[in-house]
Amino acid sequence: MRGLGTARRRGTDHQEADGADAGGGLIAQLRRPPGGRDARTMLLGQLVDRTGSGVWAASSVLFFTFVVGLDAGRLGLLLGAGAVAGIAGPPLAGHLADRLPVRPLLIACHLLRLLTLGAMLVVTRFEALMVIVALTCLGDRAAKTLEMLFATRVAGDRRATYQALSRSAANAGCALGAGLAALGLAVGTRSAHEVLILGNALSFLAAAALVWRTREPRGHGRLTAPAAGAAAPPAKAPATGPWRDRGYLRFVLLDTALNVDASLLDVGLPLWLVHHTDAPHAVIPAFLALNTVLVVALQLPVSAKVRAPRQAAGAVAWYGFFLLGACALLALSPEHGPWAASATLLAAAALVTAAEMVRSVSSWELSVALAPPQARASYLGVAGLSSSVQKAVGPPLLTGAVMAAGPPGWLALGAGVTAVALLQRRTGLRRLDAVDAGAPTSRSAATSPHSGTEPLTTGQ
């Protein structure tokens, strides 16, 4: 009876996944996402997680400054150490996911962050805080990679749709968290700051509980389960791992430069507005609001245009063009008064958001398609380095080089990113051509360790 119930439940999940294509809108897709019930539960967990993260992002600097009493120098060192520690999270998560189930690993990451955030309420020594913040960032980056692995296993060849839903849920959560933080910051007391931290910590506990309710995707060490009747995959992963795969490392290196939109939105636009334009400071919150609205409204339609690896490679060029346009607007903004500068900066923020939406789906699709199926967990862990390295390198690059050079610095950044995007497009298509040329024509190609474009099962 238990087996029959499981079969019926899985059949329902498949119907939900199949019906999602016909649903059309965001709400319908969220009700019937690729991967069925497990995917829906995981998306809810991401919403809860990102709500807490939004609270922390909006309140952490003020907490460390006014509650802990750190000066600007020590605060910068603290945040920098956390960003550097976060770089190790994705490859570590990918390495472990090749050997262990994803669910308990993700739960462990949430619980680690729960403990470290709770420790901030009682720890005041700077050295101890550095360790706590480093562990928090390590767990945060590892959790995001594990969420990606889970999604790729359960969503199969509809992973682009899942990614769009994930980003919509994440952006909505961050916006909700920022709003909740604003209420606490308006009170401004030590107790209010502590309540915000506690709320963030509890969001990790709730996310861990939701992950616990999901089922482990099939295929430990792999991201797909073989279709019925297909040839069994090799027992071992390919001998060439991600650290010896020059083509994949080249993709990750180029992808790191193509993550600069995050630093541009969070750091570049606000600081440029404050120090180089006449636009009112009240425009700064509008950057995040505009970004959130556009991602929630448009990420699904954008993802619908990129459903295959070659489409993803072609879309990379648009990332460069959007960033070039945004940088050109930033270069022009100091020449205008407050109203014109505000409009110019908001237009730049819209182009950065467009680039972000293209990058998220193209980077996601290519990182999966260019990796051997039998070692995708470790490969995707290495792919996660691109966003982690950008978090550590992007802000200093913008503040120390681009903005210091003024408008020519923005034009140089835009031109450089566009050149990298075009190079990524060319090298990605070349690797996909090599995969197609060497792929077996039999059905067993679906599980060949050398294939990067095989059809993926849902893992249900």
Side-chain angles (χ1 to χ4, degrees), residues 253-258 316 415-427:
L253 178 62
L254 295 176
D255 196 50
T256 300
L258 301 182
V316 174
V417 170
T418 302
V420 171
L422 294 174
L423 179 60
Q424 182 78 293
R425 177 184 182 276
R426 187 180 69 177
T427 57

Side-chain angles (χ1 to χ4, degrees), residues 272-273 276-280 283 329 332-346:
W272 187 253
L273 180 150
H276 297 274
T277 76
D278 296 327
V283 175
L329 289 176
L332 292 173
S333 58
E335 302 298 328
H336 305 288
W339 289 103
S342 299
T344 303
L345 290 170
L346 287 171

Side-chain angles (χ1 to χ4, degrees), residues 31-415:
R31 289 174 177 171
R32 298 182 298 276
R37 179 185 66 86
D38 293 326
R40 187 166 55 248
T41 303
M42 184 64 74
L43 288 170
L44 178 59
Q46 289 181 248
L47 174 66
V48 172
D49 180 351
R50 301 308 191 273
T51 299
S53 298
V55 170
W56 177 246
S59 62
S60 58
V61 171
L62 295 179
F63 171 79
F64 288 127
T65 301
F66 296 111
V67 177
V68 180
L70 298 182
D71 57 32
R74 289 197 298 171
L75 177 58
L77 182 60
L78 184 75
L79 298 179
V84 171
I87 294 174
L92 177 61
H95 177 78
L96 292 175
D98 256 338
R99 294 154 177 81
L100 299 170
V102 169
R103 284 176 62 255
L105 289 175
L106 182 52
I107 291 173
C109 287
H110 289 322
L111 295 181
L112 171 64
R113 295 190 288 166
L114 168 66
L115 293 174
T116 55
L117 263 293
M120 289 185 191
L121 295 174
V122 296
V123 173
T124 56
R125 288 191 58 185
F126 178 71
E127 296 79 4
L129 281 174
M130 286 192 67
V131 175
I132 289 172
V133 171
L135 289 174
T136 302
C137 293
L138 179 71
D140 178 72
R141 300 308 305 170
K144 286 179 170 58
T145 297
L146 293 168
E147 288 170 349
M148 181 180 180
L149 296 176
F150 183 95
T152 308
R153 287 178 177 173
V154 301
D157 56 2
R158 296 187 60 223
R159 54 185 175 263
T161 300
Y162 184 100
Q163 169 70 346
L165 296 175
S166 174
R167 286 187 48 74
S168 297
N171 276 267
C174 288
L176 176 60
L180 294 174
L183 297 177
L185 295 176
V187 177
T189 64
R190 179 187 182 95
S191 296
H193 282 283
E194 291 175 344
V195 167
L196 291 176
I197 290 184
L198 182 61
N200 185 21
L202 291 178
S203 75
F204 299 141
L205 181 62
L210 288 167
V211 174
W212 182 76
R213 293 183 58 192
T214 65
R215 294 164 294 180
E216 179 68 24
R218 293 175 59 186
H220 298 169
R222 296 182 292 112
L223 288 169
T224 62
K236 297 182 179 180
T240 301
W243 297 108
R244 295 183 178 181
D245 189 333
R246 294 182 180 179
Y248 200 82
L249 290 178
R250 184 186 303 114
F251 160 75
V252 175
L253 178 62
L254 295 176
D255 196 50
T256 300
L258 301 182
N259 272 261
V260 73
D261 58 273
S263 293
L264 210 161
L265 186 69
D266 296 337
V267 178
L269 279 166
L271 289 182
W272 187 253
L273 180 150
V274 170
H275 296 294
H276 297 274
T277 76
D278 296 327
H281 294 182
V283 175
I284 293 177
F287 296 151
L288 176 60
L290 179 64
N291 175 265
T292 300
V293 170
L294 290 178
V295 170
V296 171
L298 300 177
Q299 185 67 71
L300 266 176
V302 171
S303 298
K305 302 293 185 181
V306 184
R307 293 184 177 274
R310 293 186 178 281
Q311 292 174 328
V316 174
W318 284 103
Y319 177 91
F321 298 145
F322 286 138
L323 251 294
L324 179 59
C327 289
L329 289 176
L330 286 168
L332 292 173
S333 58
E335 302 298 328
H336 305 288
W339 289 103
S342 299
T344 303
L345 290 170
L346 287 171
L351 286 175
V352 171
T353 302
E356 174 192 340
M357 290 188 287
V358 170
R359 185 259 304 161
S360 66
V361 66
S362 61
S363 176
W364 160 276
E365 181 65 31
L366 288 175
S367 64
V368 175
L370 299 181
Q374 299 306 105
R376 280 220 183 101
S378 58
Y379 269 71
L380 291 182
V382 173
L385 285 172
S386 59
S387 59
S388 297
V389 171
Q390 181 279 143
K391 286 182 177 292
V393 176
L397 172 67
L398 291 180
T399 58
V402 175
M403 286 192 284
W410 286 119
L411 295 177
L413 176 67

